[in-house]
Amino acid sequence: MTDSVANALATPDHEQPYAALGLKSDEYARIREILGRRPTSGELAMYSVMWSEHCSYKSSKIYLRQFGEKVTPKMREKLMVGMGENAGVVDIGEGWAVTFKVESHNHPSFIEPFQGAATGVGGIVRDIISMGARPVAVMDQLRFGRIDHPDTARVVHGVVGGISFYGNCLGLPNIGGETYFDSCYQDNPLVNALAVGVLRHEDLHLANARGVGNKVVLFGARTGGDGIGGASILASDSFSEGGPTKRPAVQVGDPFAEKVLIECCLELFAGELVEGIQDLGAAGISCATSELASNGDGGMFVELDRVLLRDPTLTAEEILMSESQERMMAIVRPDKLDAFLAVTAKWDVESSVLGEVTDTGRLIINWHGEEIVNVDPSTVAVDGPVYERPVAYPSWLDGLQADSASALPRSSDPDVLRGQFLQLLGSPNLASKAWITDQYDRYVGGNTALSFPDDGGMIRVDESSGLGFAIAADANGRYAQLDPYAGARLALAEAYRNVAVTGAVPAAVSDCLNFGSPENPEVMWQFSRAVEGLADGCLELEIPVTGGNVSFYNQTGDVPIHPTPVVAVLGVIDDVARRVPSGWQDEGNNIYLLGTTSAELDGSAWAGTIHDHLGGRPPAVDLAREKKLAALLAAGARESLIASAHDLSDGGLAQALAESVLRFRVGARVWITELMERDGVDVTTALFSESTGRVIVSVPREDDVKFQGLCEGRGYPVLRIGVTDKLSPALEIQDVFTVNIDELQSTHGGTLPAHFA
């Protein structure tokens, strides 16, 4: 028997499995209060997925509002679409706009690494399509457990395989990202996927259902039983100790179906055949119908029988909750419906007209001729629970911060320092990620200007003018564990700097905030501080947060991951021909260090790798200084004074020098005595400190005077520390150690293949 609205009215005391669907008893009571009756099983399915943590942001809303409140007029100037839509959109000039977003697919990627990661890429790409844009690039930010743990290889192979399969099949270049290994992610890896798309201003589309009588059309892949409640329910609970107990089917992706769907959507947009559009990701039809209706005129009628199914045995509730991939929902005017269906038929994309927009203010869904859903769509999609979770300062934090790395032994012995340098260079988090990134296509489409191993990825948007964008994403869970406010600002500063070293001007931010359970007051304190730090940082830099994602419940048992706020920064460059790579190529260029070095080894790679230590306070962040540095680098790139630029972050100066040598296999002679004297630091600090606001650049000798004048004019500290040397295939740090390029290469490049190849 169908659980219709009439049946719900007739059986008010019918027991319902709300707890199994992730709803608390008070939430269920509220649903009954909203409806004035018990929900039907279809309504219960909709509320459960839409009120899940993953979809509703019920624990984070009160904090995320800061991103919309802490803004200046300058931050709004180029912002065409901000938070609340599928993805943010930024005006980059010449009639072009860029849309980008980063999202999590963490829990599904632990249970089914290949499919979980693949559909993470597919989902974020559909967010980009739904804005009216052509997807042009992807990136990923990955966190795995200990590199030598028996289960890590399973997750790594699956995740990397899923990302490369889906992205390569779509024909989208993967232009960067990051990969870290840490035991805190052992049973809860992070798979954060980022996608970028480009569009003309006039092609912008939004997710709303306006225009009474307009048709609701579902098109793309058929609906199956895969992923029922997968991301929405699974990501709204933590794993129990001993592994996952919840195992809803993870979504299965078909990149070739998505590739066709992209082209089909772009043709629909070009023909102005769509009034509103929404991708189907987490919560599937429940999400698409309720969000479109609530963002529009407020009413929609749908006949669920018209949904094209892969599995005819699915119940109405399963159809509503299915997270089958490669599906879109469009609002289409009746007079354009035939033209719309002609385009979908041309691309061999199946479509079905489910219903129409109404003026009832209700979302009504019928099944087999009976009304199974009759709700105010805003109560499903917008007005869900808003929690002010208990917040508590972590009981362990003062002790952790007091345990400074300053007490760790430091050596001045050249042999010891050489050994530490090589140990860091080959450590899992600093070693080359080429084994991963070589599985991704970085150049397909022909518009990639920079990609891994450069600090930021860069794509040409306009072939005639050379207009392009750069993007970088960063996070440091160790720093955020020590101080989540500073950790979020450090992630922002590093991503901002990584964009700046390419020659682009930072313009906008997207974020994916990965934390433990919101029901843990200490986690909520970490979260609140991280959001505050990021919002304050963006206000100071005057770049807006355009959107993003919150991922809670990243913990196993009572043990949460380190707070990991991933921050993606997008920048604009007038001409990609003036891009700046991250390593030197020419003989006899002078190497300069921009910025100053302090004794900041707390939370550093040196402390973690050499001494297995985490404690103290993270490096100080001076965002005004970062802003000044970015402006300097943009001016240097514009005037073609800088041949290469590499930011200093994990591993400090020594790591940046090694990577700059390895980028094009050009050696360097470096001296650091003057640096040590100027900044009052010892040799360990000079080599491995992770002080912020620092970049190494190489400058052709003929441009030396101009470059130094540029730095002096802007009041930024600069020091010549070396010279590039093509004839000597080595990194020589005078009076400290020399390592030839082959040893650098084998040390840096051998770690991941040794574990996974």
Side-chain angles (χ1 to χ4, degrees):
M1 177 183 171
T2 302
D3 191 17
S4 63
V5 172
N7 185 54
L9 285 165
T11 56
D13 298 324
H14 176 68
E15 198 168 317
Q16 295 185 284
Y18 62 86
L21 294 173
L23 288 165
K24 308 288 191 212
S25 55
D26 60 327
E27 292 173 339
Y28 177 69
R30 187 175 166 200
I31 294 167
R32 294 189 64 125
E33 184 185 340
I34 288 169
L35 296 173
R37 55 175 170 80
R38 76 162 177 86
T40 66
S41 53
E43 290 166 339
L44 186 65
M46 290 189 72
Y47 278 107
S48 69
V49 293
M50 292 302 292
W51 283 17
S52 69
E53 191 68 60
H54 186 74
C55 294
S56 75
Y57 297 93
K58 57 191 177 187
S59 299
S60 56
K61 275 180 180 174
I62 62 168
Y63 299 105
L64 299 178
R65 290 171 187 149
Q66 293 177 69
F67 295 138
E69 294 164 353
K70 294 178 177 178
V71 292
T72 64
K74 185 179 177 183
M75 293 165 74
R76 293 191 184 97
E77 276 177 10
K78 302 292 185 182
L79 189 61
M80 294 173 65
V81 176
M83 292 181 299
E85 286 287 341
N86 288 316
V89 181
V90 180
D91 175 11
I92 65 167
E94 301 178 21
W96 288 102
V98 171
T99 177
F100 75 120
K101 189 180 182 182
V102 57
E103 269 191 349
S104 65
H105 227 232
N106 302 337
H107 288 60
S109 298
F110 183 53
I111 291 174
E112 292 285 352
F114 185 94
Q115 291 294 354
T119 54
V121 175
I124 195 66
V125 167
R126 284 194 302 282
D127 277 338
I128 298 305
I129 304 169
S130 68
M131 302 308 297
R134 174 178 288 281
V136 294
V138 293
M139 298 176 79
D140 49 82
Q141 298 76 42
L142 310 176
R143 298 291 186 278
F144 301 114
R146 245 183 33 244
I147 198 168
D148 55 354
H149 189 281
D151 193 48
T152 298
R154 172 188 73 92
V155 180
V156 168
H157 279 285
V159 165
V160 173
I163 291 169
S164 62
F165 167 72
Y166 207 99
N168 292 355
C169 291
L170 280 186
L172 290 176
N174 191 317
I175 57 172
E178 47 172 14
T179 302
Y180 279 80
F181 299 88
D182 192 292
S183 57
C184 76
Y185 306 109
Q186 193 63 61
D187 296 321
N188 208 124
L190 305 185
V191 177
N192 290 183
L194 178 150
V196 195
V198 299
L199 66 158
R200 302 296 296 177
H201 288 187
E202 60 272 19
D203 293 333
L204 178 62
H205 284 75
L206 300 175
N208 57 59
R210 293 199 171 95
V212 174
N214 285 343
K215 301 301 179 182
V216 179
V217 186
L218 182 64
F219 65 109
R222 291 195 168 211
T223 298
D226 55 317
I228 292 176
S232 49
I233 301 288
L234 183 63
S236 300
D237 198 3
S238 55
F239 292 127
S240 58
E241 289 192 67
T245 53
K246 287 193 168 190
R247 291 181 177 267
V250 172
Q251 312 95 310
V252 177
D254 178 353
F256 298 106
E258 180 126 334
K259 192 173 178 69
V260 173
L261 190 61
I262 292 170
E263 300 304 327
C264 178
C265 285
L266 291 170
E267 187 165 334
L268 292 169
F269 297 148
E272 299 182 347
L273 302 177
V274 172
E275 301 301 302
I277 194 161
Q278 173 80 39
D279 74 297
L280 272 74
I285 290 172
S286 296
C287 176
T289 53
S290 60
E291 288 195 351
L292 281 166
S294 61
N295 290 339
D297 295 332
M300 185 184 286
F301 172 73
V302 167
E303 291 185 88
L304 208 58
D305 312 64
R306 296 186 179 185
V307 175
L308 299 175
L309 301 177
R310 288 205 315 271
D311 178 358
T313 68
L314 292 181
T315 66
E317 296 80 12
E318 289 171 329
I319 295 169
L320 288 169
M321 294 178 76
S322 169
E323 296 179 6
S324 292
Q325 300 292 288
E326 293 86 38
R327 300 180 297 163
M328 305 287 283
M329 187 172 282
I331 306 300
V332 184
R333 279 172 38 187
D335 60 320
K336 293 185 176 182
L337 182 61
D338 288 346
F340 178 99
L341 295 174
V343 172
T344 58
K346 170 190 166 181
W347 288 100
D348 203 22
V349 171
E350 291 190 295
S351 57
S352 60
V353 180
L354 303 189
E356 63 184 27
V357 178
T358 65
D359 59 1
T360 62
R362 310 289 291 179
L363 170 60
I364 297 172
I365 300 177
N366 279 15
W367 172 252
H368 297 339
E370 295 189 76
E371 190 176 273
I372 63 164
V373 172
N374 187 328
V375 298
D376 176 344
S378 64
T379 65
V380 178
V382 182
D383 302 325
V386 179
Y387 290 142
E388 293 194 36
R389 301 275 193 190
V391 174
Y393 183 83
S395 57
W396 43 265
L397 187 56
D398 286 344
L400 186 68
Q401 290 182 340
D403 182 20
S404 171
S406 59
L408 300 175
R410 301 181 216 175
S411 179
S412 57
D413 183 306
D415 291 337
V416 172
L417 290 166
R418 189 181 193 276
Q420 291 186 353
F421 164 68
L422 290 172
Q423 191 179 338
L424 280 162
L425 188 65
S427 64
N429 293 336
L430 296 183
S432 169
K433 304 305 185 298
W435 179 84
I436 292 173
T437 57
D438 285 351
Q439 298 181 51
Y440 307 149
D441 196 327
R442 307 203 283 273
Y443 298 104
V444 63
N447 281 316
T448 303
L450 291 174
S451 67
F452 182 89
D454 293 304
D455 285 353
M458 185 179 288
I459 295 286
R460 178 177 58 187
V461 171
D462 190 295
E463 294 190 17
S464 56
S465 69
L467 177 70
F469 67 81
I471 195 159
D474 289 285
N476 189 314
R478 287 170 57 84
Y479 286 156
Q481 182 78 349
L482 296 177
D483 183 338
Y485 183 92
R489 288 166 65 86
L490 278 158
L492 171 64
E494 186 176 351
Y496 186 92
R497 198 181 320 120
N498 279 332
V499 165
V501 296
T502 69
V505 177
V509 166
S510 181
D511 60 72
C512 191
L513 309 173
N514 305 275
F515 287 78
S517 170
E519 297 166 48
N520 178 340
E522 294 185 348
V523 167
M524 282 312 297
W525 180 86
Q526 291 175 320
F527 179 80
S528 68
R529 291 294 290 157
V531 172
E532 189 177 357
L534 184 54
D536 288 351
C538 288
L539 182 62
E540 195 170 341
L541 292 171
E542 289 195 291
I543 55 171
V545 174
T546 64
N549 183 218
V550 175
S551 176
F552 276 134
Y553 293 101
N554 293 291
Q555 67 179 56
T556 302
D558 297 327
V559 183
I561 64 165
H562 289 165
T564 310
V566 170
V567 181
V569 173
L570 179 124
V572 182
I573 187 165
D574 293 339
D575 186 355
V576 300
R578 287 198 285 270
R579 65 192 180 276
V580 181
S582 294
W584 37 74
Q585 301 173 69
D586 301 313
E587 167 68 22
N589 285 3
N590 284 324
I591 303 167
Y592 288 93
L593 172 65
L594 292 163
T596 56
T597 304
S598 303
E600 292 179 303
L601 292 165
D602 290 355
S604 67
W606 175 83
T609 302
I610 306 300
H611 297 284
D612 192 23
H613 179 273
L614 177 62
R617 292 184 177 274
V621 188
D622 185 340
L623 292 176
R625 195 178 181 200
E626 296 282 0
K627 200 171 178 179
K628 187 184 282 191
L629 175 60
L632 190 159
L633 291 166
R638 206 162 41 246
E639 296 173 31
S640 301
L641 302 178
I642 298 173
S644 73
H646 194 313
D647 103 296
L648 272 64
S649 51
D650 296 355
L653 176 63
Q655 182 73 18
L657 289 168
E659 290 177 0
S660 298
V661 165
L662 287 170
R663 181 71 181 88
F664 299 106
R665 291 182 63 87
V666 173
R669 286 178 283 118
V670 175
W671 46 89
I672 59 173
T673 307
E674 192 177 345
L675 161 65
M676 293 162 60
E677 290 171 354
R678 183 195 69 176
D679 296 343
V681 295
D682 60 34
V683 63
T684 297
T685 303
L687 291 173
F688 306 124
S689 167
E690 295 181 7
S691 295
T692 61
R694 295 185 302 158
V695 168
I696 52 171
V697 299
S698 63
V699 177
R701 283 189 175 167
E702 61 269 25
D703 295 317
D704 252 13
V705 174
K706 280 186 181 176
F707 175 75
Q708 291 190 44
L710 183 70
C711 297
E712 287 164 14
R714 293 172 179 267
Y716 209 84
V718 62
L719 186 66
R720 181 168 168 260
I721 62 165
V723 63
T724 62
D725 188 352
K726 263 190 170 178
L727 303 176
S728 174
L731 170 61
E732 178 191 351
I733 300 178
Q734 290 183 0
D735 302 322
V736 187
F737 57 73
T738 298
V739 184
N740 67 50
I741 289 181
D742 288 340
E743 188 175 2
L744 289 174
Q745 187 67 62
S746 62
T747 304
H748 192 234
T751 303
L752 265 64
H755 285 88
F756 304 123

